[in-house]
Amino acid sequence: MEITEQIIEKKFNEYNKEYFNNELPKPKFGLLKTYRTCGYFSCKKIIGKRKLKGQRIDISVYYDWDENELKNVIIHEMIHYYLAH
């Protein structure tokens, strides 16, 4: 399966509704070209305000993901996001 930022965004919206009650604000999405990291969530915390800035989820395009594997990686990164949120 070819991965694009649009596919990641579409899946994020679907899983946010299904598993996270639409609580997660939409982050930026990106593609990784490495085999060492399947997915990555990053953000900056604003000290003293309990807010996040620069939320981002990146997924590796190195692997030929099937539907279920991609779902697992995106939800895994969304759990990191949820805990930071």
Coordinates of all heavy atoms in Angstrom, one line a residue:
M1 N 0.8 -1.2 0.0 CA 0.0 0.0 0.0 C 0.9 1.2 0.0 O 1.8 1.3 0.8 CB -0.9 0.0 1.2 CG -1.5 1.3 1.6 SD -2.5 1.3 3.1 CE -4.1 0.9 2.5
E2 N 0.6 2.1 -0.9 CA 1.4 3.4 -1.0 C 0.8 4.4 0.1 O -0.4 4.6 0.1 CB 1.3 4.0 -2.4 CG 2.1 5.2 -2.5 CD 2.1 5.9 -3.9 OE1 1.7 5.1 -4.8 OE2 2.3 7.1 -4.0
I3 N 1.7 4.9 0.9 CA 1.3 5.8 2.0 C 1.5 7.3 1.5 O 2.5 7.6 1.0 CB 2.1 5.5 3.3 CG1 2.0 4.1 3.7 CG2 1.6 6.4 4.4 CD1 0.6 3.6 4.0
T4 N 0.5 8.1 1.8 CA 0.6 9.5 1.5 C 0.1 10.3 2.8 O -0.5 9.7 3.6 CB -0.3 10.0 0.3 OG1 -1.7 9.8 0.7 CG2 0.1 9.2 -0.9
E5 N 0.4 11.5 2.9 CA -0.1 12.3 4.0 C -1.6 12.4 4.0 O -2.2 12.4 5.1 CB 0.5 13.7 3.9 CG 2.0 13.7 4.1 CD 2.7 15.1 3.9 OE1 2.0 16.1 3.6 OE2 3.9 15.1 4.0
Q6 N -2.2 12.4 2.9 CA -3.7 12.4 2.8 C -4.3 11.1 3.4 O -5.3 11.2 4.0 CB -4.2 12.6 1.3 CG -3.9 14.0 0.8 CD -2.4 14.2 0.4 OE1 -1.7 13.2 0.1 NE2 -1.9 15.4 0.3
I7 N -3.7 10.0 3.1 CA -4.2 8.7 3.6 C -4.0 8.7 5.1 O -4.9 8.3 5.9 CB -3.4 7.5 3.0 CG1 -3.8 7.3 1.5 CG2 -3.7 6.2 3.8 CD1 -3.0 6.3 0.8
I8 N -2.9 9.2 5.6 CA -2.7 9.2 7.1 C -3.7 10.1 7.7 O -4.3 9.8 8.8 CB -1.2 9.7 7.4 CG1 -0.2 8.7 6.9 CG2 -1.1 9.9 8.9 CD1 1.2 9.3 6.9
E9 N -4.0 11.3 7.1 CA -5.0 12.2 7.7 C -6.4 11.6 7.7 O -7.1 11.7 8.7 CB -5.0 13.5 6.9 CG -6.0 14.5 7.4 CD -5.9 15.8 6.6 OE1 -5.1 16.0 5.7 OE2 -6.7 16.7 7.0
K10 N -6.7 10.9 6.6 CA -8.0 10.3 6.5 C -8.2 9.2 7.6 O -9.2 9.1 8.3 CB -8.2 9.6 5.2 CG -9.5 8.9 5.0 CD -9.6 8.2 3.6 CE -10.8 7.4 3.6 NZ -10.7 6.3 2.5
K11 N -7.1 8.4 7.8 CA -7.2 7.3 8.8 C -7.2 8.0 10.2 O -7.9 7.5 11.1 CB -6.0 6.4 8.7 CG -5.9 5.7 7.4 CD -7.0 4.7 7.3 CE -6.9 3.9 6.0 NZ -8.0 2.9 5.8
F12 N -6.4 9.1 10.4 CA -6.4 9.8 11.7 C -7.8 10.2 12.0 O -8.3 10.0 13.2 CB -5.5 11.0 11.7 CG -5.5 11.8 12.9 CD1 -4.7 11.5 14.0 CD2 -6.4 12.9 13.0 CE1 -4.7 12.3 15.1 CE2 -6.5 13.6 14.2 CZ -5.6 13.3 15.2
N13 N -8.5 10.8 11.1 CA -9.9 11.3 11.4 C -10.8 10.2 11.7 O -11.6 10.3 12.6 CB -10.4 12.1 10.1 CG -9.7 13.4 9.9 OD1 -9.1 14.0 10.8 ND2 -9.6 13.8 8.7
E14 N -10.7 9.1 11.0 CA -11.5 7.9 11.2 C -11.3 7.3 12.6 O -12.2 7.1 13.4 CB -11.2 6.9 10.2 CG -12.0 5.6 10.3 CD -11.5 4.6 9.2 OE1 -11.2 5.0 8.1 OE2 -11.5 3.4 9.5
Y15 N -10.0 7.1 13.0 CA -9.7 6.5 14.3 C -9.9 7.5 15.4 O -10.3 7.1 16.5 CB -8.2 6.1 14.3 CG -7.9 5.1 13.2 CD1 -6.7 5.1 12.6 CD2 -8.9 4.2 12.7 CE1 -6.3 4.2 11.6 CE2 -8.6 3.3 11.7 CZ -7.3 3.3 11.1 OH -7.0 2.5 10.1
N16 N -9.7 8.8 15.2 CA -10.0 9.8 16.2 C -11.5 9.7 16.6 O -11.8 9.8 17.8 CB -9.7 11.2 15.7 CG -9.6 12.2 16.8 OD1 -9.5 11.9 18.0 ND2 -9.7 13.5 16.4
K17 N -12.4 9.6 15.7 CA -13.8 9.5 15.9 C -14.1 8.2 16.6 O -14.9 8.1 17.6 CB -14.6 9.6 14.6 CG -16.1 9.6 14.8 CD -16.8 9.8 13.4 CE -18.3 9.7 13.6 NZ -19.0 9.9 12.3
E18 N -13.6 7.1 16.1 CA -13.9 5.7 16.6 C -13.3 5.4 18.0 O -14.0 4.8 18.8 CB -13.4 4.7 15.6 CG -13.9 3.3 15.9 CD -13.5 2.3 14.8 OE1 -13.2 2.7 13.7 OE2 -13.6 1.1 15.1
Y19 N -12.1 5.8 18.2 CA -11.4 5.4 19.4 C -11.1 6.5 20.5 O -10.9 6.2 21.6 CB -10.1 4.8 19.1 CG -10.2 3.5 18.3 CD1 -9.8 3.5 16.9 CD2 -10.8 2.4 18.8 CE1 -9.9 2.4 16.1 CE2 -10.9 1.2 18.0 CZ -10.5 1.2 16.7 OH -10.6 0.1 15.9
F20 N -11.1 7.8 20.0 CA -10.7 8.9 20.9 C -11.8 9.9 21.1 O -11.5 11.0 21.6 CB -9.4 9.5 20.4 CG -8.3 8.6 20.4 CD1 -7.9 7.9 19.2 CD2 -7.5 8.4 21.5 CE1 -6.9 7.0 19.2 CE2 -6.4 7.5 21.5 CZ -6.1 6.8 20.4
N21 N -13.0 9.6 20.7 CA -14.2 10.5 20.9 C -13.9 11.9 20.3 O -14.4 12.9 20.8 CB -14.4 10.7 22.4 CG -15.8 10.5 22.7 OD1 -16.6 10.0 21.9 ND2 -16.2 10.8 24.0
N22 N -13.2 12.0 19.2 CA -12.8 13.2 18.5 C -12.1 14.2 19.4 O -12.2 15.4 19.2 CB -14.0 13.9 17.8 CG -14.3 13.3 16.5 OD1 -13.4 13.0 15.8 ND2 -15.6 13.3 16.1
E23 N -11.4 13.8 20.4 CA -10.7 14.6 21.4 C -9.4 15.2 20.9 O -8.9 16.2 21.4 CB -10.5 13.9 22.7 CG -11.8 13.6 23.5 CD -11.5 12.9 24.8 OE1 -10.5 13.2 25.4 OE2 -12.4 12.2 25.2
L24 N -8.8 14.5 19.9 CA -7.5 15.0 19.5 C -7.6 16.0 18.4 O -8.2 15.7 17.3 CB -6.7 13.8 19.0 CG -6.4 12.7 20.0 CD1 -5.7 11.5 19.3 CD2 -5.6 13.2 21.1
P25 N -7.0 17.2 18.6 CA -6.9 18.2 17.5 C -6.1 17.6 16.3 O -5.1 16.8 16.6 CB -6.3 19.4 18.1 CG -6.4 19.2 19.6 CD -6.4 17.7 19.8
K26 N -6.4 18.0 15.1 CA -5.6 17.5 14.0 C -4.2 18.0 14.0 O -4.0 19.2 14.0 CB -6.3 17.9 12.7 CG -5.8 17.2 11.5 CD -6.5 17.6 10.2 CE -7.9 17.2 10.3 NZ -8.7 17.4 9.1
P27 N -3.2 17.1 14.0 CA -1.8 17.5 13.9 C -1.4 17.6 12.4 O -2.2 17.4 11.5 CB -1.1 16.3 14.5 CG -2.0 15.1 14.1 CD -3.4 15.6 14.1
K28 N -0.1 17.9 12.2 CA 0.4 17.9 10.9 C 0.8 16.4 10.7 O 1.1 15.7 11.6 CB 1.6 18.8 10.8 CG 1.3 20.2 10.8 CD 2.5 21.1 10.6 CE 2.1 22.6 10.7 NZ 3.2 23.5 10.5
F29 N 0.9 16.0 9.4 CA 1.3 14.7 9.0 C 2.5 14.7 8.1 O 2.7 15.6 7.3 CB 0.1 14.0 8.3 CG -1.1 13.9 9.2 CD1 -2.1 14.8 9.0 CD2 -1.2 13.0 10.2 CE1 -3.3 14.8 9.8 CE2 -2.4 12.9 11.0 CZ -3.4 13.9 10.8
G30 N 3.3 13.7 8.3 CA 4.5 13.6 7.4 C 4.9 12.1 7.1 O 4.3 11.2 7.7
L31 N 5.9 12.0 6.3 CA 6.4 10.7 5.8 C 7.8 10.5 6.2 O 8.6 11.4 6.1 CB 6.2 10.6 4.3 CG 4.8 10.8 3.8 CD1 4.8 10.8 2.3 CD2 3.8 9.8 4.3
L32 N 8.1 9.3 6.8 CA 9.5 9.0 7.1 C 10.1 8.1 6.0 O 9.3 7.2 5.5 CB 9.6 8.2 8.4 CG 9.0 9.0 9.7 CD1 9.0 8.0 10.9 CD2 10.0 10.2 10.0
K33 N 11.3 8.2 5.7 CA 12.0 7.3 4.7 C 13.0 6.4 5.4 O 14.1 6.2 4.8 CB 12.6 8.2 3.6 CG 11.6 9.0 2.9 CD 12.2 9.8 1.8 CE 11.1 10.6 1.1 NZ 11.7 11.6 0.2
T34 N 12.7 5.9 6.5 CA 13.6 5.0 7.3 C 13.0 3.7 7.6 O 11.8 3.6 7.8 CB 14.1 5.7 8.5 OG1 15.0 4.9 9.3 CG2 12.9 6.1 9.5
Y35 N 13.8 2.7 7.8 CA 13.3 1.4 8.2 C 13.4 1.3 9.7 O 12.8 0.4 10.3 CB 14.1 0.3 7.6 CG 15.5 0.2 8.0 CD1 15.9 -0.7 9.1 CD2 16.5 0.9 7.4 CE1 17.2 -0.8 9.5 CE2 17.8 0.8 7.8 CZ 18.2 0.0 8.9 OH 19.5 -0.1 9.3
R36 N 14.1 2.1 10.4 CA 14.3 2.0 11.8 C 13.1 2.5 12.7 O 12.9 2.1 13.8 CB 15.5 2.9 12.3 CG 16.8 2.3 11.8 CD 18.0 3.1 12.3 NE 19.2 2.5 11.9 CZ 20.0 1.9 12.8 NH1 19.7 1.9 14.1 NH2 21.1 1.4 12.4
T37 N 12.3 3.4 12.1 CA 11.2 3.9 12.8 C 9.9 3.7 12.0 O 9.8 4.2 10.9 CB 11.4 5.4 13.1 OG1 12.6 5.6 13.8 CG2 10.2 6.0 13.9
C38 N 8.9 3.0 12.6 CA 7.7 2.8 11.8 C 6.8 4.0 11.9 O 6.1 4.4 10.9 CB 6.9 1.6 12.5 SG 7.8 0.0 12.3
G39 N 6.7 4.7 13.0 CA 5.9 5.9 13.2 C 6.5 6.7 14.3 O 7.3 6.3 15.1
Y40 N 6.1 8.0 14.3 CA 6.7 8.9 15.3 C 5.7 10.0 15.6 O 5.1 10.6 14.7 CB 8.0 9.5 14.7 CG 8.8 10.3 15.6 CD1 9.6 9.7 16.6 CD2 8.8 11.7 15.6 CE1 10.4 10.4 17.5 CE2 9.5 12.4 16.5 CZ 10.3 11.8 17.4 OH 11.1 12.5 18.3
F41 N 5.5 10.3 16.9 CA 4.7 11.4 17.3 C 5.6 12.4 17.9 O 6.5 12.1 18.7 CB 3.6 11.0 18.3 CG 3.0 12.2 19.0 CD1 2.1 13.1 18.3 CD2 3.3 12.5 20.3 CE1 1.6 14.2 18.9 CE2 2.8 13.6 20.9 CZ 1.9 14.5 20.2
S42 N 5.5 13.7 17.6 CA 6.3 14.7 18.3 C 5.4 16.0 18.5 O 4.4 16.2 17.8 CB 7.5 15.1 17.4 OG 7.1 15.6 16.2
C43 N 5.8 16.7 19.6 CA 5.2 18.0 19.9 C 6.1 18.8 20.8 O 7.0 18.2 21.4 CB 3.8 17.7 20.5 SG 3.9 17.0 22.2
K44 N 5.7 20.0 21.1 CA 6.4 20.8 22.0 C 5.3 21.2 23.1 O 4.2 21.6 22.7 CB 6.9 22.1 21.4 CG 8.0 21.7 20.4 CD 8.5 23.0 19.7 CE 9.5 22.5 18.6 NZ 9.5 23.4 17.4
K45 N 5.7 21.1 24.3 CA 4.7 21.6 25.4 C 5.0 23.0 25.7 O 6.1 23.5 25.8 CB 4.9 20.7 26.6 CG 4.4 19.3 26.5 CD 4.4 18.6 27.8 CE 3.9 17.2 27.5 NZ 3.7 16.5 28.7
I46 N 3.9 23.8 25.9 CA 4.0 25.2 26.3 C 4.0 25.2 27.8 O 3.1 24.8 28.4 CB 2.9 26.0 25.7 CG1 2.9 26.0 24.2 CG2 3.0 27.5 26.2 CD1 1.8 26.7 23.5
I47 N 5.2 25.5 28.3 CA 5.4 25.5 29.8 C 4.4 26.4 30.5 O 4.2 27.5 30.1 CB 6.8 25.9 30.2 CG1 7.8 25.1 29.4 CG2 7.0 25.9 31.7 CD1 8.0 23.7 29.8
G48 N 3.7 25.9 31.5 CA 2.8 26.7 32.3 C 1.4 26.8 31.8 O 0.5 27.2 32.5
K49 N 1.2 26.4 30.6 CA -0.2 26.5 30.0 C -0.9 25.2 29.7 O -2.0 25.1 29.3 CB -0.2 27.4 28.8 CG 0.3 28.8 29.0 CD 0.1 29.6 27.8 CE 0.5 31.1 28.1 NZ 0.2 31.9 26.9
R50 N -0.1 24.1 29.9 CA -0.7 22.8 29.7 C -1.2 22.6 28.3 O -2.3 22.0 28.1 CB -1.7 22.4 30.8 CG -1.1 22.3 32.2 CD -2.2 21.9 33.1 NE -2.9 20.7 32.7 CZ -3.1 19.7 33.4 NH1 -2.8 19.7 34.7 NH2 -3.8 18.6 32.9
K51 N -0.6 23.2 27.3 CA -1.0 23.1 25.9 C 0.2 22.6 25.1 O 1.3 22.6 25.5 CB -1.4 24.5 25.4 CG -2.6 25.1 26.0 CD -3.0 26.3 25.3 CE -4.3 26.9 25.9 NZ -4.8 28.1 25.2
L52 N -0.2 22.0 24.0 CA 0.8 21.5 23.0 C 0.9 22.4 21.8 O 0.0 23.1 21.5 CB 0.4 20.1 22.6 CG 0.2 19.0 23.6 CD1 -0.3 17.7 23.0 CD2 1.4 18.8 24.4
K53 N 2.1 22.3 21.2 CA 2.3 23.1 20.0 C 3.1 22.3 19.1 O 3.9 21.5 19.5 CB 3.2 24.4 20.4 CG 3.5 25.3 19.3 CD 4.3 26.4 19.9 CE 4.9 27.3 18.8 NZ 5.7 28.3 19.2
G54 N 2.8 22.4 17.8 CA 3.6 21.7 16.8 C 3.4 20.2 16.8 O 4.3 19.4 16.5
Q55 N 2.2 19.7 17.0 CA 1.9 18.3 17.0 C 2.1 17.7 15.6 O 1.7 18.3 14.6 CB 0.4 18.0 17.5 CG 0.1 18.6 18.8 CD -0.6 19.9 18.7 OE1 -0.1 20.8 18.0 NE2 -1.7 20.1 19.4
R56 N 2.7 16.5 15.6 CA 3.0 16.0 14.3 C 3.1 14.4 14.4 O 3.6 13.9 15.4 CB 4.4 16.5 13.8 CG 4.8 16.0 12.5 CD 6.1 16.7 12.1 NE 6.5 16.2 10.7 CZ 6.1 16.8 9.6 NH1 5.4 17.9 9.7 NH2 6.5 16.3 8.5
I57 N 2.5 13.8 13.4 CA 2.6 12.3 13.3 C 3.2 12.0 12.0 O 2.7 12.4 10.9 CB 1.2 11.6 13.4 CG1 0.6 11.8 14.9 CG2 1.3 10.2 13.1 CD1 -0.8 11.3 15.1
D58 N 4.3 11.2 12.0 CA 5.0 10.8 10.8 C 4.9 9.2 10.7 O 5.1 8.6 11.8 CB 6.5 11.2 10.9 CG 6.6 12.7 10.9 OD1 6.1 13.4 10.0 OD2 7.3 13.2 11.8
I59 N 4.7 8.7 9.5 CA 4.7 7.3 9.3 C 5.7 6.9 8.2 O 5.8 7.6 7.2 CB 3.2 6.9 8.8 CG1 2.2 7.3 9.9 CG2 3.2 5.4 8.6 CD1 2.3 6.7 11.2
S60 N 6.4 5.8 8.4 CA 7.4 5.3 7.5 C 6.8 4.9 6.2 O 5.8 4.1 6.2 CB 8.2 4.2 8.1 OG 9.2 3.7 7.1
V61 N 7.4 5.3 5.0 CA 7.0 4.8 3.7 C 7.9 3.7 3.3 O 7.8 3.2 2.1 CB 6.9 5.9 2.7 CG1 5.9 6.9 3.0 CG2 8.3 6.6 2.5
Y62 N 8.9 3.3 4.1 CA 9.8 2.2 3.8 C 9.2 0.9 3.6 O 9.5 0.1 2.8 CB 10.9 2.2 4.8 CG 12.0 1.2 4.6 CD1 13.1 1.5 3.7 CD2 11.9 -0.1 5.1 CE1 14.1 0.5 3.5 CE2 12.9 -1.0 4.9 CZ 14.0 -0.7 4.0 OH 15.0 -1.6 3.8
Y63 N 8.1 0.7 4.4 CA 7.5 -0.6 4.5 C 6.2 -0.7 3.6 O 5.6 0.4 3.4 CB 7.0 -1.0 5.9 CG 8.2 -1.1 6.8 CD1 8.6 -0.1 7.7 CD2 9.0 -2.3 6.8 CE1 9.7 -0.2 8.5 CE2 10.1 -2.4 7.7 CZ 10.4 -1.3 8.5 OH 11.5 -1.4 9.3
D64 N 5.9 -1.8 3.1 CA 4.7 -2.0 2.3 C 3.6 -2.5 3.3 O 3.3 -3.7 3.5 CB 4.9 -3.1 1.2 CG 3.7 -3.3 0.3 OD1 2.9 -2.4 0.3 OD2 3.6 -4.4 -0.3
W65 N 2.9 -1.5 3.9 CA 1.9 -1.7 5.0 C 0.7 -2.4 4.4 O 0.2 -2.0 3.3 CB 1.5 -0.4 5.6 CG 2.6 0.3 6.3 CD1 3.1 1.5 5.8 CD2 3.3 0.0 7.5 NE1 4.1 1.9 6.7 CE2 4.3 1.0 7.7 CE3 3.3 -1.0 8.4 CZ2 5.1 1.1 8.8 CZ3 4.2 -1.0 9.4 CH2 5.1 0.0 9.6
D66 N 0.1 -3.3 5.1 CA -1.2 -3.7 4.8 C -2.2 -2.9 5.6 O -1.7 -2.1 6.5 CB -1.5 -5.2 4.9 CG -1.4 -5.7 6.3 OD1 -1.7 -5.0 7.3 OD2 -1.2 -6.9 6.5
E67 N -3.5 -3.0 5.4 CA -4.4 -2.1 6.1 C -4.3 -2.2 7.6 O -4.4 -1.2 8.3 CB -5.8 -2.5 5.6 CG -6.9 -1.5 5.9 CD -6.8 -0.2 5.1 OE1 -6.4 -0.3 3.9 OE2 -7.2 0.8 5.6
N68 N -4.2 -3.4 8.1 CA -4.2 -3.7 9.5 C -2.9 -3.2 10.2 O -2.9 -2.6 11.3 CB -4.4 -5.2 9.9 CG -4.7 -5.4 11.3 OD1 -5.6 -4.7 11.9 ND2 -4.1 -6.4 11.9
E69 N -1.8 -3.4 9.5 CA -0.5 -2.9 10.0 C -0.5 -1.4 10.1 O -0.1 -0.8 11.1 CB 0.6 -3.4 9.2 CG 0.9 -4.9 9.2 CD 1.8 -5.3 8.2 OE1 1.9 -4.7 7.1 OE2 2.5 -6.4 8.4
L70 N -1.0 -0.7 9.1 CA -1.0 0.8 9.1 C -1.9 1.3 10.2 O -1.6 2.2 10.9 CB -1.5 1.3 7.7 CG -1.6 2.8 7.6 CD1 -0.2 3.4 7.8 CD2 -2.2 3.2 6.2
K71 N -3.1 0.6 10.4 CA -4.0 1.0 11.5 C -3.3 0.9 12.8 O -3.4 1.8 13.6 CB -5.2 0.1 11.4 CG -6.2 0.3 12.5 CD -7.4 -0.6 12.5 CE -8.4 -0.4 13.6 NZ -9.5 -1.3 13.5
N72 N -2.6 -0.2 13.0 CA -1.9 -0.4 14.3 C -0.8 0.7 14.6 O -0.7 1.2 15.7 CB -1.2 -1.8 14.4 CG -2.2 -2.9 14.6 OD1 -3.3 -2.7 15.1 ND2 -1.9 -4.1 14.1
V73 N -0.1 1.1 13.5 CA 1.0 2.1 13.7 C 0.3 3.5 14.0 O 0.8 4.2 14.9 CB 1.9 2.1 12.5 CG1 2.9 3.3 12.5 CG2 2.7 0.8 12.3
I74 N -0.7 3.8 13.2 CA -1.3 5.1 13.4 C -1.9 5.2 14.8 O -1.8 6.2 15.5 CB -2.3 5.4 12.3 CG1 -1.6 5.6 10.9 CG2 -3.1 6.7 12.6 CD1 -2.5 5.7 9.7
I75 N -2.7 4.2 15.2 CA -3.3 4.2 16.5 C -2.2 4.3 17.6 O -2.4 5.0 18.6 CB -4.3 3.0 16.7 CG1 -5.5 3.3 15.8 CG2 -4.7 2.9 18.1 CD1 -6.5 2.1 15.8
H76 N -1.1 3.5 17.4 CA 0.0 3.6 18.4 C 0.5 5.0 18.6 O 0.6 5.5 19.7 CB 1.1 2.7 17.9 CG 2.3 2.7 18.8 ND1 2.5 1.8 19.9 CD2 3.4 3.5 18.9 CE1 3.6 2.1 20.5 NE2 4.2 3.1 19.9
E77 N 0.7 5.7 17.5 CA 1.1 7.1 17.6 C 0.1 8.0 18.2 O 0.4 9.0 18.9 CB 1.6 7.6 16.2 CG 2.8 6.8 15.6 CD 3.9 6.6 16.6 OE1 4.2 7.5 17.4 OE2 4.5 5.5 16.5
M78 N -1.2 7.7 17.9 CA -2.3 8.5 18.4 C -2.4 8.3 19.9 O -2.8 9.3 20.7 CB -3.6 8.1 17.8 CG -3.7 8.6 16.3 SD -5.2 8.0 15.5 CE -6.4 9.2 16.2
I79 N -2.0 7.2 20.4 CA -2.0 6.9 21.9 C -1.0 7.8 22.5 O -1.2 8.4 23.6 CB -1.8 5.4 22.2 CG1 -3.0 4.6 21.8 CG2 -1.5 5.3 23.7 CD1 -2.8 3.1 21.9
H80 N 0.2 7.9 21.9 CA 1.2 8.9 22.4 C 0.7 10.3 22.4 O 0.9 11.0 23.4 CB 2.5 8.8 21.5 CG 3.3 7.6 21.7 ND1 4.0 7.3 22.8 CD2 3.6 6.6 20.8 CE1 4.6 6.1 22.7 NE2 4.4 5.7 21.4
Y81 N 0.0 10.7 21.4 CA -0.6 12.0 21.3 C -1.6 12.2 22.4 O -1.7 13.2 23.1 CB -1.2 12.1 19.9 CG -1.8 13.5 19.6 CD1 -1.6 14.6 20.3 CD2 -2.5 13.7 18.4 CE1 -2.1 15.8 20.0 CE2 -3.0 14.9 18.0 CZ -2.8 16.0 18.8 OH -3.3 17.2 18.5
Y82 N -2.5 11.2 22.6 CA -3.5 11.3 23.6 C -2.9 11.5 25.0 O -3.4 12.3 25.8 CB -4.4 10.0 23.5 CG -5.6 10.1 24.5 CD1 -6.7 10.8 24.2 CD2 -5.5 9.4 25.7 CE1 -7.8 10.8 25.0 CE2 -6.6 9.4 26.6 CZ -7.7 10.2 26.2 OH -8.8 10.2 27.1
L83 N -1.9 10.7 25.3 CA -1.2 10.9 26.6 C -0.6 12.2 26.8 O -0.6 12.8 27.9 CB -0.2 9.8 26.8 CG -0.8 8.3 26.9 CD1 0.4 7.3 26.9 CD2 -1.6 8.2 28.1
A84 N 0.0 12.8 25.7 CA 0.6 14.1 25.8 C -0.5 15.2 25.9 O -0.4 16.2 26.6 CB 1.4 14.4 24.6
H85 N -1.7 15.0 25.3 CA -2.8 15.9 25.2 C -3.4 16.0 26.6 O -3.8 17.0 27.1 CB -3.8 15.5 24.2 CG -4.9 16.4 24.0 ND1 -4.8 17.7 23.5 CD2 -6.3 16.2 24.2 CE1 -6.0 18.3 23.4 NE2 -6.9 17.4 23.9

